[in-house]
Amino acid sequence: MNTWHEVTTLEEIPPLGARVVTTKQGDIALFRTAEGEVFALLDRCPHKGGHLSQGIVFGKKVTCPLHSWNICLDDGKAVAPDVGCTRSYPVKVENNVVYLSLA
Amino acid sequence: MKKMKLVMVGNGMAGVRTLEELLKLTPDLYDITVFGAEPYPNYNRIMLSPVLAGEQGIQDIILNDIDWYKQNNITLHLNKKVAHIARKNKVVVAEDGTEAEYDRLLLATGSSSFILPVPGKELAGVVGYRDIQDTNAMIAAAEKYKHAVVIGGGLLGLEAANGLALRGMDVTVVHIMPWLMERQLDDNSAQMLQSALQAKGLKFMLEQQTQELVSDGQGRVKSIRFKDGNEIPADLVVMAVGIRPNVALAEAAGIYCNRGIVVSDTMQTYDPSIYAVGECVSHRGTAYGLVAPLFDMAKVCANHLARMGIAYYQGSVTSTKLKVTGVDLFSAGNFTGGNETNQIVMHDVTGGKYKKLVLNNNTLIGAVMYGDTKDSSWYFQMIRDGKNVAEIRDQLIFGQSHLGNAGSQGQNLAATMTNAMEVCGCNGVCKGTIVKAIKEKGLFTLEDVRKHTKASASCGSCTGLVEQILASTVGGAYAPQATTVKPLCDCTTHSHEEVRKAIREEKLISIPQTMTFLNWNTTNGCAKCRPALNYYLLCAWPHEAKDDPQSRFINERANANIQKDGTFSVVPRMYGGITTPQQLRRIADVAEKYNVPTVKVTGGQRIDLLGIKKADLPKIWADLDMPSGYAYAKALRTVKTCVGSEWCRFGVQDSTQMGIDIERAFDHMWMPHKFKVAVSGCPRNCAESGIKDVGIIGVESGWEIYVAGNGGIKTVVAQFLVKVKTHDEVMEYTGAFAQLYREEAHYLDRTVHYVERVGLDHVKKHVVENAANRKALYARLLYALQGATNPWSKENINVCEFESLAI
Ligand code: SRM
Ligand SMILES: Cc1cc2nc3c(=O)[nH]c(=O)nc-3n(C[C@H](O)[C@H](O)[C@H](O)COP(=O)(O)OP(=O)(O)OC[C@H]3O[C@@H](n4cnc5c(N)ncnc54)[C@H](O)[C@@H]3O)c2cc1C
Ligand code: SF4
Ligand code: FES
């Protein structure tokens, strides 16, 4: 079962931007797309651990700031031809409040 | 909505590339059906030569396997040749009766080997050289028979001959012309090529016309007889005398053909619902026989099939490389010349090197090289760009490495490198890895190689080398794109110039507005185009366009440099490299208070605090109370100075003060890339002004200004721009040059790349010769800088950027 943690409000994440959430499992990056969708990934690039939260967000992807791999926000997979995957976490937005599950 | 039906006839390289481009643009617009006369899915036809030579197997050259068609929901009919197009009902019918309706039809039928109409042409053992079947027939013959004759001394014929010789046959090449590859080579280079191939064991008979192929009595060829009565044994005859576009199908359907299927610049035939691409096409009277132009056509055709309707095909300049291992040969453009042209030739008979450049006025229009082709990509790029070479003309023949280039670009001969040798130092990629990826994955462009191997994807200094490897692996299939028309990124077909022009002329002031106006094919761009657009908007409309932090690289968003562990570095400005005990004390205090792990003196005459947590940045800036040094930004970085006339026994000008004044005046200046300046007090040049974007050197009677130097990836010495007398003139000329660069350079081009593109004469015309223009440029820069403030000051800090959340 998912335990939802209230994290922040939608307004607190800039569109096409990200916020970092510090948790017991490590830093998690919360991304917001132009359409207002929110995604959560472990803040570690599958390449060499770059902080994805610091990248440029476009469509449903983020470009890692260290060596420009593109990572899909919905499943954490690197865009081909790069291969690798970073952990993704369930998120929901209700009445503009963002909830994150660490399950 | 019901999908439209797209049918493609011809499952070859041009057609499938068009589908790939189309699926990239609109994956769901069409139900696609493909007919292919061959029993194979799309394969890399040009690699038939390495297959024949035994360097690769058939299975290695498949480009799109059956699964690819499945994954993209394409109905694939292999082994089915389309026999008829019923244009009225919009249906195609294959020989076996299979039918398919279309809304749009794409003809990509390629061409066939031209078979000489001589007696005996139908005998067993007589083949063309076009497809897997031909190749297999040749391989089988080589196992059983001894004597092979290849008719045709062109590209294809020589590759066939080489392959057969490697398979142990005794090969004679018969050619009707006085020298080999007459369409690509002049007599000198052809002679060198012939000698090299003779050394490999091939025999040649030039200026010979075939009269008849003689049968052995059992239906197989046994010899070949020439017009002059001569006869030589032949168990295998390969006809490589040219190709004929496959137009019969189109012609029978009443579509206008003239040696090829005639198409417009949008790849449309005379029937608006029928498109055609590839070797079967005649575009502006030309039929192409190399894949690079076909891929350009594919892009344009896909653009129109996707209903974007903005791309035009305007013809291609092609180049040739022979894919025979150990032979280095290149030709491009018009190499025979004419009345208006002149030539630069270098011919070293003993050394086995030959180079001919053909120029029209000061533009390079053609090149032939034999033996040493390491500069071929460089020359080819200049031919395609129509670049004015007046300034480098006297050194042109010696190649790129001769032009004061200390980097690794073009220094090594790609062909002589072993597979284990490293090509890309940044990503540790060896030659073997690149060659393997090109062959196995069917890569054709630099961009492809970058994506798959990472070679030249970082600093880019090995780009030339990677291009050479690509060119020598895929032959003429490789074509560098003309830099002037290169799209800004995959999200658009528009070039940097076109985008900047639209922003200026249509007064676009935001990123979404620009993307909509220019039909971007993504909703919010990518990490390549957004930073470029953000800069172009700010540059064109200062004080009006609003900065978009989310379209900036993290460094410019956080006003500090991200490090490999995610911490940041802080470099405060020390104008002109001058500091004070108070400043040093403050830096020391901050370093202690925040446990800064490393304090380093940078190469830019100031101090770097490294290993700082992002959340601490605003506090550190406040404690330092010094302005940002922009060490992270595409902006004015440092102004390096020497001690100058205030102290130095040789100094003739006060370089320190000049440096400080420049750094203060041009602080906060956003630019296409970083911008570095140095000022030296005398020609001993202790501030290293010779390798800066602007380098200033004090002399007795004033100041010399140099521009477009670079001390980075490849060292380039700055070029002399002008000599001036006064302090104010230095400011005005420096500012005007900076503004010209800001307005005209492509995003991420340093001044060296920009000036290389437009030419120093262009810069002189705008900055030196035309005083009114210089003053206007300078005024525009000062206007843009008005009111700019330190990004580290409290009111400029966006708290949200630095604070993290917690659960
Ligand atoms: C800190 C410093 C090295 C040092 O410890 O001395 C440095 C550090 C970096 N340089 Fe540099 N460069 C430093 C002086 C130089 C110099 C020397 C100079 O400026 O006199 C050069 C050659 C001069 C030139 O630029 O022409 C130099 C040529 C480069 C290049 C190659 C640029 C090129 O166009 O070829 C890069 C890569 C790039 O910009 O794409 C680069 C990139 C970098 C980056 C920003 C790499 C990155 O993208 O993260 C490094 C940032 C480290 C950091 O976070 O602090 N750095 N870098 C120097 C800072 C000077 C300063 O005070 O601002
Ligand atoms: C041995 C060899 C080496 C080469 N080397 C190079 C090189 O180094 N560099 C370079 O740039 N180019 C090279 N080329 C040329 C290059 O391969 C061609 O330019 C390219 O393949 C043409 O692509 P296309 O799609 O127009 O035609 P093709 O690739 O020939 O595809 C056309 C397809 O349509 C099929 N077809 C025809 N009619 C019908 C019909 N009615 N119904 C169904 N299917 C039909 C054909 O069977 C064929 O499969 C080489 C060619 C050969 C043969
Ligand atoms: S500081 Fe410059 S030279 Fe040193 S590792 Fe980084 S980019 Fe390379
Ligand atoms: S760490 Fe993300 S791309 Fe290298």
Side-chain angles (χ1 to χ4, degrees), chain A residues 5-6 8 12 14-17 19-23 34 51 54-59 63 65-66 69 81-82, chain B residues 451-452 454 524-527 530-531 550 552-554 557 562-566 568 614 800-801 803-807:
Chain A
H5 301 269
E6 181 178 331
T8 182
E12 293 294 311
L16 293 174
R19 292 296 297 267
V20 181
V21 189
T22 44
T23 75
H51 292 213
Q54 310 299 307
I56 290 182
V57 178
F58 62 101
T63 303
L66 292 199
W69 280 28
D82 296 322
Chain B
K451 276 196 192 133
H452 283 270
K454 296 280 182 237
N524 38 50
C526 68
R530 286 228 312 271
Q550 300 310 335
R552 286 185 178 273
F553 183 61
I554 177 61
R557 228 182 312 136
I562 196 163
Q563 306 294 316
K564 62 181 199 177
D565 61 356
F568 286 79
K614 193 177 179 190
C800 190
E801 178 69 47
E803 280 178 2
S804 51
L805 308 163
I807 51 173

Side-chain angles (χ1 to χ4, degrees), chain B residues 583-662:
Chain B
Q583 272 187 351
L584 292 173
R585 209 168 280 127
R586 242 179 290 142
I587 291 174
D589 287 345
V590 163
E592 269 181 359
K593 179 169 166 195
Y594 294 92
N595 287 318
V596 174
T598 299
V599 181
K600 183 181 182 303
V601 175
T602 73
Q605 299 188 336
R606 47 205 192 155
I607 291 175
D608 196 351
L609 303 172
L610 293 131
I612 292 167
K613 287 198 262 336
K614 193 177 179 190
D616 285 340
L617 287 171
K619 289 180 264 174
I620 289 188
W621 296 335
D623 287 0
L624 278 174
D625 194 24
M626 286 170 76
S628 161
Y630 283 86
Y632 48 82
K634 312 277 175 261
L636 177 71
R637 292 273 172 104
T638 60
V639 180
K640 254 169 115 158
T641 68
C642 70
V643 281
S645 59
E646 286 294 285
W647 293 97
C648 175
R649 65 199 167 106
F650 293 119
V652 293
Q653 295 288 354
D654 187 352
S655 49
T656 319
Q657 192 56 46
M658 177 61 86
I660 293 173
D661 292 348
I662 291 175

Side-chain angles (χ1 to χ4, degrees), chain B residues 453-482:
Chain B
T453 67
K454 296 280 182 237
S456 82
S458 296
C459 83
S461 70
C462 59
T463 303
L465 208 51
V466 176
E467 283 182 313
Q468 282 172 46
I469 295 173
L470 188 56
S472 58
T473 313
V474 302
Y478 171 68
Q481 266 190 318

Side-chain angles (χ1 to χ4, degrees), chain B residues 481-503:
Chain B
Q481 266 190 318
T483 38
T484 42
V485 299
K486 247 181 215 165
L488 199 151
C489 70
D490 287 346
C491 305
T492 177
T493 53
H494 294 292
S495 66
H496 287 266
E497 272 82 10
E498 288 164 347
V499 171
R500 296 200 85 161
K501 189 157 169 267
I503 289 175

